[in-house]
Amino acid sequence: MGNRNKNTGFATRAIHGLGINKQPEGALNPPLYMSSTFTFDAVEEGAAMFAGERAGHFYSRISNPTLCALEERFAALENAEAALCFASGMGAITSVLWTFLGAGDEIIADKTLYGCTFSFLHHGLSRFGVKVTDVDLTDPCALREAISDNTKIVYFESPANPNMRLVDITAISAIARESGAKTIVDNTYCTPYLQQPLAMGADIVVHSATKYLGGHGDLIAGMAAGNADDMLRVRTEGLKDMTGAVMTPLTAHQIMRGLKTLNLRMDRHSASAQVIAERLEAHPQVREVYYPGLKSFAQYDLAKRQMRGAGGMIAFELNTDLDGARRMMNALDLIKRAVSLGDADTLIQHPASMTHATYSPEERNAHGISDTLLRLSVGLENVEDIWADLERALQTLNISAVKPKAA
Ligand code: 3LM
């Protein structure tokens, strides 16, 4: 079978990949190769594989046919030459960064990052002689001023976890490229269905596949995509030798199942989040809503330019203090109090004490992460049921504690 799906639509590629490989026994789905090692017909064959002179699988920390099936399918979705699977999103991020950074190099990162990514940069990489510089990448001029010959990587999330700030991927990638640095984008919040950073000039995308790619809250996984040379280096350096953060074949299989409905789920997450964001914005107990699909969102035009839809994540602040916010969250019933995101189930969490507790209070303040910010991952339940739960919980707020809405 040839490369028959190269010009097909996203949903078709999510289900069939590029249609290059026919499965054994006529199976519809790729088989699960639960094998840590692969046998050689002769020692010379093994030696040639170890020397990189012959293609083939010989140990599942390096490659496995089930993982390769997912890698091929995911590369087709990100429009990348190649992709790689990892044991977790952090496994993807650390394997990629360990590959391309060394002592004396600099990484410029946006000010707002997922808590463990921030921690890896500031409490991990920086201990090994890598200079970590935080720059407000929502302002391309700030990157132009900060970037130097030592800068090897420019790294950001868009939208950023948890406050939804967007970064202009085209503008930032162009500045990084002029200076010889690679741009790496964490595309977890959007998935390749809503945003394609590589097409906008980025070099590598990383994902927590734990979220929308898996989509059902039942696995931990990571993915990366980029050009074939970069992905080969990450496979043989960062992944094989430095982290060993290898995905299991069963997880790869579950993610391929998740991908088959990715576009449907993302459309529904986005449509429901739009309704919830608009109703939150109009609610008297809500002070501020940060959602790229709202006209009031500071970067609404940029969102329209670089995202196909606004996604399922909303950040918001209530017209009350932290105790009031906790009371509201504890009153929720259908909506579950949990970290993670992108599941069929709607989840709510408090970044300052949970996902972003890796920042000190001073750092959160300096990095635009308010202590009263709440984060909602809008799931796939009926939107009226999600809203009914929120509206009821908002009513439990003590009216006398309400502060006037900011002008
Ligand atoms: C969370 N986030 O609730 P894993 N990149 C982004 C992420 O949001 C995450 C990762 C990478 C959350 C996890 S907090 C203890 C729970 C934008 C994870 C890391 O290694 O697959 O968890 O991905 O925001």
Side-chain angles (χ1 to χ4, degrees), residues 88-91 93 114 116-117 155 157 161 186 188-189 207-211 220-222 339-341 349 354-356 375:
S88 65
M90 287 313 297
I93 293 163
Y114 164 59
C116 295
T117 306
Y155 186 96
E157 302 166 3
N161 184 354
D186 184 328
T188 298
Y189 265 38
H207 287 267
S208 170
T210 312
K211 319 300 185 212
I220 298 279
V339 296
S340 203
L341 58 106
Q349 67 110 7
M354 297 177 187
T355 53
H356 292 70
R375 191 190 76 183

Side-chain angles (χ1 to χ4, degrees), residues 217-275:
D218 52 6
L219 56 86
I220 298 279
M223 298 293 307
N227 72 41
D229 287 348
D230 283 351
M231 290 301 107
L232 181 64
R233 269 196 70 186
V234 177
R235 187 192 292 282
T236 54
E237 295 178 34
L239 176 59
K240 174 173 80 69
D241 295 338
M242 292 166 131
T243 65
V246 178
M247 184 187 284
T248 69
L250 178 60
T251 302
H253 210 270
Q254 287 175 295
I255 293 175
M256 282 189 273
R257 178 164 63 173
L259 290 182
K260 291 189 185 197
T261 55
L262 180 63
N263 66 309
L264 298 175
R265 291 185 287 108
M266 294 315 290
D267 279 341
R268 176 70 175 267
H269 283 297
S270 299
S272 294
Q274 182 73 35
V275 171

Side-chain angles (χ1 to χ4, degrees), residues 31-43:
L32 203 50
Y33 284 93
M34 297 292 270
S35 193
S36 48
T37 196
F38 298 83
T39 59
F40 308 121
D41 285 340
V43 277

